[in-house]
Amino acid sequence: MSDSKRKVLFVVESLDEGRVGRALSVIVQYIDKSKFDVTVCAINGGGAYEAVIRENANYKAVLTEPGGLKRKMVYRTLPLSLVYSFYIPHGNDVEVACSEGFVTKLLSHASKGNVKRYALTHTDFEKNHWTKEIFNSVKEETVAYNKFDKVIGATGIITKSFRNQFPDVKVPVETIYDPIDSLSVRLKSLNASSGDEEPVKTRIVTQGRLESRYEYARLIRIVERLIKEGYDLGLWIFGEGSEHGILDHYIRKNDLQKRVKLFGAHPNPYRYMVQGDLFVCSVCGSGVIKALILGLPIVATDTPELNELLKNGESALITPDTEEDLYTGIKRMLDEPELLEQYRQKGEARGWDFDIEALMVPVENLLMN
């Protein structure tokens, strides 16, 4: 029976916590195992998602120690064609380079044979062409991508940036969203918790990395301003990052501890988020997709990726990316309950577009062809 299955190999550099490992862990859990025999090969063993991968797929780690001769051979000494021959599992119908950089370069050096090969990319190359450290030139990188049957961007913005950065890549380039474990999000949200001893009329929630680009300091200032104006308002922030201390200091300095709470990297934020009345997002992230899945009304700033996810304002209130405009948008939602309910319904409808069954269809169609 197993011989009739499509044999698929995913090659990933590591399974550390991040977008690539998270997406791959969801794929191996939900892929139709009656149709696909899946193997994951990690160049570097270990990582946050290794246990999930081991449980749901065949697994091989090329390097299991941080140093040593073998690492030097893989990354520096051996020609990549030999690295592929010696260390990468063979006999597959499909091979997927799960990220840019080393694994894409590695699979581009494999003999073609009858194997279908796809390269996944999660990078906006126009903003951050970090793979210049891996390839000697854009020309060399272009040659590598032309060895694949197709390139897949994780969002429309990423696909567009790839086409602009690599105009001489002649193979098809298309968009397939990373699968989100919507089932797990919904199940975890069922055990809801208020998480707070100070009830408020309106609870704003948000999720993401506590880094400057996520503009959480700006959001806290807006909430503080609205509280001073008389709104019975609170804010929960889920996520961790380098600005945790800075944000915590501001909260304490301005006596906002009862109104603003930093949850950190909570193991189950969804049981709290589902209690929110409004989700606010300043940059793209998986948090806004989780908010859609949970059916939360959303205020978001005008960025290309958020516009893509939120259908250019059809599924959320989009504001210009300034503090004053974001304040005005949030205030409008607080003042107009009918508008809040309208976006709650629209957000919930959009959330079903990110249902795991819907997102797995294009993934499985790609691997079957």
Side-chain angles (χ1 to χ4, degrees):
M1 180 68 178
S2 61
D3 290 341
S4 66
K5 297 180 183 180
R6 188 83 162 160
K7 294 185 177 180
V8 179
L9 173 70
F10 293 98
V11 183
V12 61
E13 191 157 10
S14 75
L15 293 168
D16 290 331
E17 188 166 3
R19 186 171 183 174
V20 174
R22 181 172 60 246
L24 185 55
S25 71
V26 175
I27 289 173
V28 300
Q29 288 180 78
Y30 288 98
I31 196 167
D32 188 340
K33 294 178 176 62
S34 69
K35 297 179 181 178
F36 299 97
D37 181 4
V38 177
T39 299
V40 173
C41 178
I43 304 302
N44 298 283
Y49 295 103
E50 186 181 62
V52 175
I53 299 296
R54 283 184 179 276
E55 184 177 346
N56 290 277
N58 305 309
Y59 177 70
K60 176 182 179 180
V62 176
L63 302 172
T64 56
E65 299 178 358
L69 177 61
K70 188 176 181 181
R71 176 172 296 275
K72 184 178 180 181
M73 292 173 63
V74 168
Y75 277 106
R76 298 181 184 179
T77 308
L78 287 177
L80 289 180
S81 58
L82 292 183
V83 173
Y84 175 85
S85 296
F86 292 164
Y87 300 118
I88 305 302
H90 297 164
N92 306 290
D93 301 303
V94 183
E95 294 178 351
V96 182
C98 291
S99 63
E100 316 82 353
F102 181 77
V103 294
T104 293
K105 190 174 185 179
L106 173 61
L107 289 192
S108 74
H109 281 75
S111 57
K112 178 55 181 169
N114 294 320
V115 180
K116 288 280 189 178
R117 290 196 177 92
Y118 304 119
L120 308 187
T121 175
H122 296 78
T123 292
D124 185 335
F125 283 99
E126 293 181 296
K127 292 182 179 179
N128 179 26
H129 195 161
W130 67 270
T131 54
K132 288 179 179 179
E133 301 174 2
I134 308 297
F135 294 90
N136 294 320
S137 65
V138 172
K139 182 178 180 180
E140 182 188 29
E141 197 165 3
T142 297
V143 170
Y145 277 112
N146 276 325
K147 296 289 183 67
F148 289 83
D149 293 281
K150 190 175 288 185
V151 178
I152 306 298
T155 69
I157 300 301
I158 289 172
T159 300
K160 181 180 178 182
S161 77
F162 182 91
R163 290 193 180 111
N164 291 340
Q165 193 68 19
F166 301 103
D168 293 325
V169 169
K170 303 305 181 184
V171 301
V173 183
E174 65 181 54
T175 301
I176 296 179
Y177 286 109
D178 284 340
I180 299 288
D181 192 350
S182 58
L183 179 61
S184 176
V185 171
R186 290 192 170 99
L187 288 174
K188 288 180 178 180
S189 73
L190 294 178
N191 186 21
S193 172
S194 64
D196 198 75
E197 297 178 357
E198 297 288 333
V200 293
K201 182 179 180 180
T202 305
R203 178 74 63 195
I204 294 175
V205 295
T206 187
Q207 182 187 39
R209 293 286 300 168
L210 302 188
E211 306 294 343
S212 59
R213 74 187 187 94
Y214 284 81
E215 299 280 9
Y216 288 122
R218 177 175 71 179
L219 179 57
I220 292 172
R221 289 194 301 269
I222 290 172
V223 169
E224 180 184 22
R225 178 179 172 182
L226 289 166
I227 291 171
K228 288 179 179 178
E229 292 175 2
Y231 289 88
D232 187 10
L233 191 64
L235 171 64
W236 288 344
I237 301 175
F238 297 89
E240 195 51 88
S242 63
E243 289 211 331
H244 186 115
I246 296 172
L247 298 176
D248 184 63
H249 176 74
Y250 185 91
I251 291 166
R252 295 178 183 279
K253 180 182 177 182
N254 293 278
D255 196 26
L256 294 170
Q257 299 96 311
K258 293 183 178 180
R259 296 299 189 107
V260 180
K261 185 172 182 178
L262 302 177
F263 278 77
H266 198 280
N268 180 12
Y270 314 117
R271 66 194 294 254
Y272 299 96
M273 287 173 62
V274 75
Q275 298 298 302
D277 301 292
L278 179 66
F279 187 92
V280 177
C281 186
S282 293
V283 298
C284 183
S286 63
V288 74
I289 299 178
K290 308 293 177 53
L292 290 169
I293 291 169
L294 293 172
L296 297 176
I298 297 170
V299 175
T301 53
D302 187 2
T303 68
E305 289 191 56
L306 285 175
N307 273 306
E308 179 183 344
L309 291 174
L310 299 170
K311 302 179 73 173
N312 295 311
E314 288 184 28
S315 305
L317 180 63
I318 305 290
T319 76
D321 192 13
T322 70
E323 185 165 332
E324 188 64 26
D325 287 306
L326 185 58
Y327 157 81
T328 300
I330 295 172
K331 188 173 185 293
R332 185 183 172 197
M333 291 284 251
L334 298 177
D335 289 339
E336 302 179 35
E338 68 282 359
L339 184 67
L340 190 72
E341 180 58 28
Q342 176 185 336
Y343 279 115
R344 183 187 304 279
Q345 294 176 14
K346 289 183 175 182
E348 185 176 10
R350 176 61 168 156
W352 287 107
D353 292 336
F354 296 97
D355 185 71
I356 183 61
E357 291 186 5
L359 291 179
M360 284 301 298
V361 169
V363 173
E364 292 189 355
N365 286 343
L366 175 74
L367 299 176
M368 189 59 74
N369 294 323

PDB file of all heavy atoms in Angstrom, residues 310-330:
ATOM      1  N   LEU A 310      -6.254  40.943   4.900  1.00  0.00           N
ATOM      2  CA  LEU A 310      -7.552  41.489   5.299  1.00  0.00           C
ATOM      3  C   LEU A 310      -8.365  41.990   4.116  1.00  0.00           C
ATOM      4  O   LEU A 310      -9.317  42.744   4.280  1.00  0.00           O
ATOM      5  CB  LEU A 310      -7.334  42.606   6.320  1.00  0.00           C
ATOM      6  CG  LEU A 310      -6.629  42.145   7.608  1.00  0.00           C
ATOM      7  CD1 LEU A 310      -6.233  43.336   8.464  1.00  0.00           C
ATOM      8  CD2 LEU A 310      -7.515  41.194   8.397  1.00  0.00           C
ATOM      9  N   LYS A 311      -7.971  41.577   2.923  1.00  0.00           N
ATOM     10  CA  LYS A 311      -8.733  41.848   1.693  1.00  0.00           C
ATOM     11  C   LYS A 311      -8.989  43.346   1.500  1.00  0.00           C
ATOM     12  O   LYS A 311     -10.090  43.772   1.214  1.00  0.00           O
ATOM     13  CB  LYS A 311     -10.037  41.054   1.693  1.00  0.00           C
ATOM     14  CG  LYS A 311      -9.832  39.553   1.803  1.00  0.00           C
ATOM     15  CD  LYS A 311     -11.141  38.772   1.836  1.00  0.00           C
ATOM     16  CE  LYS A 311     -11.791  38.736   0.483  1.00  0.00           C
ATOM     17  NZ  LYS A 311     -12.979  37.827   0.476  1.00  0.00           N
ATOM     18  N   ASN A 312      -7.897  44.122   1.714  1.00  0.00           N
ATOM     19  CA  ASN A 312      -7.933  45.573   1.467  1.00  0.00           C
ATOM     20  C   ASN A 312      -9.063  46.278   2.219  1.00  0.00           C
ATOM     21  O   ASN A 312      -9.729  47.169   1.693  1.00  0.00           O
ATOM     22  CB  ASN A 312      -8.037  45.846  -0.035  1.00  0.00           C
ATOM     23  CG  ASN A 312      -6.813  45.379  -0.787  1.00  0.00           C
ATOM     24  OD1 ASN A 312      -5.687  45.679  -0.409  1.00  0.00           O
ATOM     25  ND2 ASN A 312      -7.021  44.620  -1.850  1.00  0.00           N
ATOM     26  N   GLY A 313      -9.249  45.880   3.467  1.00  0.00           N
ATOM     27  CA  GLY A 313     -10.227  46.556   4.306  1.00  0.00           C
ATOM     28  C   GLY A 313     -11.591  45.918   4.336  1.00  0.00           C
ATOM     29  O   GLY A 313     -12.463  46.375   5.073  1.00  0.00           O
ATOM     30  N   GLU A 314     -11.812  44.865   3.569  1.00  0.00           N
ATOM     31  CA  GLU A 314     -13.112  44.189   3.610  1.00  0.00           C
ATOM     32  C   GLU A 314     -13.323  43.461   4.939  1.00  0.00           C
ATOM     33  O   GLU A 314     -14.449  43.366   5.422  1.00  0.00           O
ATOM     34  CB  GLU A 314     -13.221  43.175   2.468  1.00  0.00           C
ATOM     35  CG  GLU A 314     -13.387  43.776   1.082  1.00  0.00           C
ATOM     36  CD  GLU A 314     -13.588  42.697   0.032  1.00  0.00           C
ATOM     37  OE1 GLU A 314     -14.114  41.621   0.388  1.00  0.00           O
ATOM     38  OE2 GLU A 314     -13.218  42.924  -1.132  1.00  0.00           O
ATOM     39  N   SER A 315     -12.227  42.958   5.530  1.00  0.00           N
ATOM     40  CA  SER A 315     -12.347  42.114   6.717  1.00  0.00           C
ATOM     41  C   SER A 315     -11.915  42.802   7.999  1.00  0.00           C
ATOM     42  O   SER A 315     -11.952  42.197   9.071  1.00  0.00           O
ATOM     43  CB  SER A 315     -11.509  40.836   6.534  1.00  0.00           C
ATOM     44  OG  SER A 315     -11.878  40.168   5.350  1.00  0.00           O
ATOM     45  N   ALA A 316     -11.485  44.053   7.917  1.00  0.00           N
ATOM     46  CA  ALA A 316     -11.038  44.778   9.104  1.00  0.00           C
ATOM     47  C   ALA A 316     -11.016  46.272   8.790  1.00  0.00           C
ATOM     48  O   ALA A 316     -11.035  46.681   7.626  1.00  0.00           O
ATOM     49  CB  ALA A 316      -9.646  44.311   9.526  1.00  0.00           C
ATOM     50  N   LEU A 317     -10.972  47.061   9.843  1.00  0.00           N
ATOM     51  CA  LEU A 317     -10.818  48.507   9.675  1.00  0.00           C
ATOM     52  C   LEU A 317      -9.332  48.809   9.488  1.00  0.00           C
ATOM     53  O   LEU A 317      -8.520  48.537  10.381  1.00  0.00           O
ATOM     54  CB  LEU A 317     -11.362  49.243  10.897  1.00  0.00           C
ATOM     55  CG  LEU A 317     -11.263  50.771  10.853  1.00  0.00           C
ATOM     56  CD1 LEU A 317     -12.101  51.335   9.706  1.00  0.00           C
ATOM     57  CD2 LEU A 317     -11.700  51.379  12.183  1.00  0.00           C
ATOM     58  N   ILE A 318      -8.974  49.335   8.331  1.00  0.00           N
ATOM     59  CA  ILE A 318      -7.585  49.656   8.013  1.00  0.00           C
ATOM     60  C   ILE A 318      -7.367  51.151   8.196  1.00  0.00           C
ATOM     61  O   ILE A 318      -8.139  51.968   7.685  1.00  0.00           O
ATOM     62  CB  ILE A 318      -7.234  49.258   6.563  1.00  0.00           C
ATOM     63  CG1 ILE A 318      -7.537  47.779   6.311  1.00  0.00           C
ATOM     64  CG2 ILE A 318      -5.772  49.576   6.265  1.00  0.00           C
ATOM     65  CD1 ILE A 318      -6.643  46.817   7.017  1.00  0.00           C
ATOM     66  N   THR A 319      -6.296  51.512   8.927  1.00  0.00           N
ATOM     67  CA  THR A 319      -5.971  52.920   9.132  1.00  0.00           C
ATOM     68  C   THR A 319      -4.574  53.218   8.586  1.00  0.00           C
ATOM     69  O   THR A 319      -3.736  52.307   8.483  1.00  0.00           O
ATOM     70  CB  THR A 319      -5.984  53.294  10.626  1.00  0.00           C
ATOM     71  OG1 THR A 319      -4.794  52.796  11.257  1.00  0.00           O
ATOM     72  CG2 THR A 319      -7.202  52.719  11.326  1.00  0.00           C
ATOM     73  N   PRO A 320      -4.287  54.482   8.249  1.00  0.00           N
ATOM     74  CA  PRO A 320      -2.911  54.836   7.912  1.00  0.00           C
ATOM     75  C   PRO A 320      -1.978  54.509   9.073  1.00  0.00           C
ATOM     76  O   PRO A 320      -2.399  54.478  10.243  1.00  0.00           O
ATOM     77  CB  PRO A 320      -2.982  56.351   7.660  1.00  0.00           C
ATOM     78  CG  PRO A 320      -4.401  56.586   7.235  1.00  0.00           C
ATOM     79  CD  PRO A 320      -5.220  55.614   8.053  1.00  0.00           C
ATOM     80  N   ASP A 321      -0.718  54.249   8.747  1.00  0.00           N
ATOM     81  CA  ASP A 321       0.236  53.752   9.739  1.00  0.00           C
ATOM     82  C   ASP A 321       0.871  54.903  10.532  1.00  0.00           C
ATOM     83  O   ASP A 321       2.088  55.112  10.502  1.00  0.00           O
ATOM     84  CB  ASP A 321       1.308  52.910   9.049  1.00  0.00           C
ATOM     85  CG  ASP A 321       2.165  52.136  10.033  1.00  0.00           C
ATOM     86  OD1 ASP A 321       1.784  52.054  11.220  1.00  0.00           O
ATOM     87  OD2 ASP A 321       3.212  51.609   9.618  1.00  0.00           O
ATOM     88  N   THR A 322       0.036  55.651  11.248  1.00  0.00           N
ATOM     89  CA  THR A 322       0.526  56.690  12.151  1.00  0.00           C
ATOM     90  C   THR A 322      -0.182  56.541  13.488  1.00  0.00           C
ATOM     91  O   THR A 322      -1.262  55.942  13.570  1.00  0.00           O
ATOM     92  CB  THR A 322       0.252  58.108  11.615  1.00  0.00           C
ATOM     93  OG1 THR A 322      -1.164  58.370  11.681  1.00  0.00           O
ATOM     94  CG2 THR A 322       0.737  58.268  10.174  1.00  0.00           C
ATOM     95  N   GLU A 323       0.408  57.082  14.539  1.00  0.00           N
ATOM     96  CA  GLU A 323      -0.192  56.961  15.867  1.00  0.00           C
ATOM     97  C   GLU A 323      -1.551  57.633  15.932  1.00  0.00           C
ATOM     98  O   GLU A 323      -2.497  57.087  16.498  1.00  0.00           O
ATOM     99  CB  GLU A 323       0.746  57.556  16.913  1.00  0.00           C
ATOM    100  CG  GLU A 323       0.250  57.370  18.335  1.00  0.00           C
ATOM    101  CD  GLU A 323       1.326  57.617  19.371  1.00  0.00           C
ATOM    102  OE1 GLU A 323       2.516  57.414  19.069  1.00  0.00           O
ATOM    103  OE2 GLU A 323       0.966  58.000  20.496  1.00  0.00           O
ATOM    104  N   GLU A 324      -1.664  58.809  15.343  1.00  0.00           N
ATOM    105  CA  GLU A 324      -2.924  59.542  15.399  1.00  0.00           C
ATOM    106  C   GLU A 324      -4.026  58.815  14.630  1.00  0.00           C
ATOM    107  O   GLU A 324      -5.177  58.733  15.086  1.00  0.00           O
ATOM    108  CB  GLU A 324      -2.741  60.951  14.837  1.00  0.00           C
ATOM    109  CG  GLU A 324      -3.942  61.866  15.022  1.00  0.00           C
ATOM    110  CD  GLU A 324      -4.258  62.148  16.486  1.00  0.00           C
ATOM    111  OE1 GLU A 324      -3.334  62.083  17.330  1.00  0.00           O
ATOM    112  OE2 GLU A 324      -5.438  62.427  16.785  1.00  0.00           O
ATOM    113  N   ASP A 325      -3.693  58.275  13.465  1.00  0.00           N
ATOM    114  CA  ASP A 325      -4.699  57.568  12.670  1.00  0.00           C
ATOM    115  C   ASP A 325      -5.129  56.267  13.342  1.00  0.00           C
ATOM    116  O   ASP A 325      -6.313  55.903  13.302  1.00  0.00           O
ATOM    117  CB  ASP A 325      -4.158  57.286  11.271  1.00  0.00           C
ATOM    118  CG  ASP A 325      -4.096  58.530  10.403  1.00  0.00           C
ATOM    119  OD1 ASP A 325      -5.130  59.200  10.258  1.00  0.00           O
ATOM    120  OD2 ASP A 325      -3.011  58.833   9.884  1.00  0.00           O
ATOM    121  N   LEU A 326      -4.171  55.562  13.950  1.00  0.00           N
ATOM    122  CA  LEU A 326      -4.522  54.333  14.648  1.00  0.00           C
ATOM    123  C   LEU A 326      -5.407  54.649  15.859  1.00  0.00           C
ATOM    124  O   LEU A 326      -6.389  53.944  16.122  1.00  0.00           O
ATOM    125  CB  LEU A 326      -3.254  53.587  15.087  1.00  0.00           C
ATOM    126  CG  LEU A 326      -3.457  52.218  15.738  1.00  0.00           C
ATOM    127  CD1 LEU A 326      -4.206  51.267  14.818  1.00  0.00           C
ATOM    128  CD2 LEU A 326      -2.121  51.615  16.153  1.00  0.00           C
ATOM    129  N   TYR A 327      -5.076  55.703  16.572  1.00  0.00           N
ATOM    130  CA  TYR A 327      -5.910  56.158  17.690  1.00  0.00           C
ATOM    131  C   TYR A 327      -7.340  56.453  17.218  1.00  0.00           C
ATOM    132  O   TYR A 327      -8.316  56.013  17.834  1.00  0.00           O
ATOM    133  CB  TYR A 327      -5.291  57.409  18.322  1.00  0.00           C
ATOM    134  CG  TYR A 327      -6.266  58.282  19.073  1.00  0.00           C
ATOM    135  CD1 TYR A 327      -6.654  57.981  20.370  1.00  0.00           C
ATOM    136  CD2 TYR A 327      -6.812  59.413  18.462  1.00  0.00           C
ATOM    137  CE1 TYR A 327      -7.566  58.780  21.056  1.00  0.00           C
ATOM    138  CE2 TYR A 327      -7.715  60.220  19.133  1.00  0.00           C
ATOM    139  CZ  TYR A 327      -8.093  59.900  20.422  1.00  0.00           C
ATOM    140  OH  TYR A 327      -8.996  60.683  21.081  1.00  0.00           O
ATOM    141  N   THR A 328      -7.450  57.156  16.091  1.00  0.00           N
ATOM    142  CA  THR A 328      -8.765  57.514  15.557  1.00  0.00           C
ATOM    143  C   THR A 328      -9.559  56.271  15.172  1.00  0.00           C
ATOM    144  O   THR A 328     -10.765  56.175  15.425  1.00  0.00           O
ATOM    145  CB  THR A 328      -8.612  58.436  14.342  1.00  0.00           C
ATOM    146  OG1 THR A 328      -7.921  59.632  14.743  1.00  0.00           O
ATOM    147  CG2 THR A 328      -9.967  58.818  13.766  1.00  0.00           C
ATOM    148  N   GLY A 329      -8.876  55.285  14.564  1.00  0.00           N
ATOM    149  CA  GLY A 329      -9.546  54.050  14.163  1.00  0.00           C
ATOM    150  C   GLY A 329     -10.055  53.253  15.354  1.00  0.00           C
ATOM    151  O   GLY A 329     -11.181  52.754  15.353  1.00  0.00           O
ATOM    152  N   ILE A 330      -9.217  53.121  16.386  1.00  0.00           N
ATOM    153  CA  ILE A 330      -9.633  52.401  17.592  1.00  0.00           C
ATOM    154  C   ILE A 330     -10.798  53.128  18.266  1.00  0.00           C
ATOM    155  O   ILE A 330     -11.788  52.505  18.675  1.00  0.00           O
ATOM    156  CB  ILE A 330      -8.445  52.242  18.566  1.00  0.00           C
ATOM    157  CG1 ILE A 330      -7.370  51.339  17.942  1.00  0.00           C
ATOM    158  CG2 ILE A 330      -8.912  51.681  19.903  1.00  0.00           C
ATOM    159  CD1 ILE A 330      -6.088  51.267  18.740  1.00  0.00           C
TER     160      ILE A 330
END
